[in-house]
Amino acid sequence: MTETATTATVRSPAAPPALGGPGLFTVLLAAALPLIDFFIVNVALPTIGADLHAGEAVLELVVAGYGVAYAVLLVLGGRLGDLFGRRRLFLGGMAAFGLTSLACGLAPSAWSLVAARVAQGAASAAMLPQVLATIQAATSGGRRARAMSLYGATAGLSMVAGQILGGVLVAADIAGTGWRSVFLVNVPVVVVGLVLGARFVPETRSQKPEPVDGPGTVLLAVSLLTLLAPLTEGRAAGWPLWTWLSLAAFPGVTVAFYAVERRADRAGRTPLVPPSLFELASLRRGLAMMLPFSIGFSGFMFVIAVALQSGEHLGPVAAGTALAPMAVVFLFVSLAGPRLIARYGSRVVTAGSVIQAVGLVLIVLAAARDWPHLDLVGLLPGVAVAGAGQALQLPNVLRLVMSEVPPARAGVGSGVMVTTQQSALALGVATLGTLFLSLVPHQGMRDALVTTLLVQLGLVVLTGLLSLRLPRTVS
């Protein structure tokens, strides 16, 4: 009995919390929800505008309010998970996500919907960083590599599936709910996630948690707001003076944020975003590549939804399912990613950018040739090829970014990565979306679409060039 007790005493501290199959399914389900909700409203916006009598500027806030709140608070969410326990923040964030989704679905007016979307973004920021941090802290070796690959596949598939699901739900008009179902559908999913999470997700936290970095948190929030707020609202608001003042303030606030974080790092404290974390080549170069990839991805999804509904006058189902081939191909190709990476290293990512570029060229040719009769058949080759290219890039880059981050800094590392991704997604809608909508009155819908897609093609080329600097092997 004494020997058994001694053995248990020795083994217990050494055994890290393990994330089993049901737990991994639960955290991946949670990872899908915020990304689906970023894109699910794209095809629902015309219906929301008609029902709530909302103008274009308010409708953009429905998208931007969620994205900005989400991006601004993500790193803080990761730090709080390190400090108070990732499982606790995960369950709390998921519960809040369910409640704010319910508030979105029951919103009586456009402005109450905007407020609920901002709160929903904040809830996402509490929940999502815990997913990557839990995977990083509760898995190792081959299990971690597989889990990270599945996370990347889930992220990419969610961004495409969100738009498809939005179209189906709006058209189905379940129990007369119309557009509201795109938010209400989250509620039963969250209930299932909470039950599974309470049972199967292990508790992890940093062994040496640091207090919240107040100055860094405020400066990061202000920095992101000064960039994202004017870019997302400027065009619809007519570019008033505040937008230009905000953009002018962005570089100065960003420099101040870096100086504060560097000083805290050198003093031995743990800042919100430790500059020393960027000494990891895999993280630094992976984030640099993720920026143009995510800007192009979200910009494409927004522009194609508007073009197919407003230009081709397709219904929400047809506009959503036009991207179904991209989702199907993405799923199957991403499953082969781990084997390809093990054999060919990060050059698989470079090959993915080349394949995505070919897909975009096919879409441009189809739009130029078939407009105004562009349909699923005309888009199919291009979106399928582009989906294959994206599947070789996104899951593998997400895995690479976190590959060298130590478990003790898993919350900080995941917060930085997801903030970069989310900020770039918001920038994509703001920049490519603004470009497209600004060109439509002057060039017409077809030429505006072609021009915007060519700009995205340039971003894909940049992504491919940056991928050449990635570490050759991915652990």
Side-chain angles (χ1 to χ4, degrees), residues 112-327:
S112 62
L113 176 59
V114 170
R117 284 284 282 174
V118 171
Q120 190 186 35
S124 298
M127 175 175 64
L128 189 60
Q130 319 316 326
V131 173
L132 275 171
T134 298
I135 291 174
Q136 193 78 352
T139 61
S140 60
R143 287 182 59 82
R144 180 184 295 171
R146 287 191 294 274
M148 287 301 299
S149 295
L150 286 171
Y151 173 85
T154 300
L157 192 60
S158 299
M159 290 189 276
V160 182
Q163 207 141 304
I164 299 171
L165 181 62
V168 171
L169 288 173
V170 170
D173 194 20
I174 302 169
T177 54
W179 60 266
R180 298 177 186 274
S181 61
V182 305
F183 302 112
L184 296 176
V185 71
N186 292 330
V187 178
V189 177
V190 164
V191 171
V192 172
L194 287 171
V195 172
L196 293 175
R199 182 171 182 182
F200 295 113
V201 176
E203 180 65 281
T204 63
R205 68 179 71 203
S206 175
Q207 295 301 311
K208 297 179 180 179
E210 294 282 344
V212 172
D213 174 14
T217 301
V218 171
L219 285 170
L220 177 62
V222 174
S223 178
L224 289 172
L225 283 170
T226 55
L227 176 66
L228 296 177
L231 287 178
T232 51
E233 280 300 296
R235 188 195 63 83
W239 298 105
L241 179 62
W242 73 265
T243 59
W244 299 108
L245 293 175
S246 181
L247 288 172
F250 169 69
V253 178
T254 303
V255 170
F257 169 69
Y258 177 78
V260 167
E261 299 299 271
R262 188 173 180 82
R263 190 181 307 120
D265 213 9
R266 286 177 170 175
R269 301 190 300 272
T270 302
L272 187 70
V273 180
S276 59
L277 200 64
F278 291 88
E279 294 173 4
L280 301 174
S282 57
L283 182 137
R284 185 177 65 252
R285 295 173 184 177
L287 292 181
M289 183 189 157
M290 190 183 297
L291 278 170
F293 177 88
S294 297
I295 288 172
F297 193 107
S298 64
F300 170 80
M301 298 294 285
F302 177 80
V303 167
I304 203 71
V306 174
L308 292 179
Q309 289 190 93
S310 300
E312 293 286 355
H313 305 292
L314 298 181
V317 173
T321 54
L323 298 174
M326 178 180 286

Side-chain angles (χ1 to χ4, degrees), residues 28 40 66-67 114 190 194 207 249 266 278 287 299 303 331 347 363 369 405 407 431 433 450 469:
L28 292 180
I40 201 169
Y66 174 85
V114 170
V190 164
L194 287 171
Q207 295 301 311
R266 286 177 170 175
F278 291 88
L287 292 181
V303 167
L331 173 62
R347 292 300 172 260
I363 296 172
R369 180 189 65 236
V405 176
T431 53
V450 168
R469 300 185 67 248

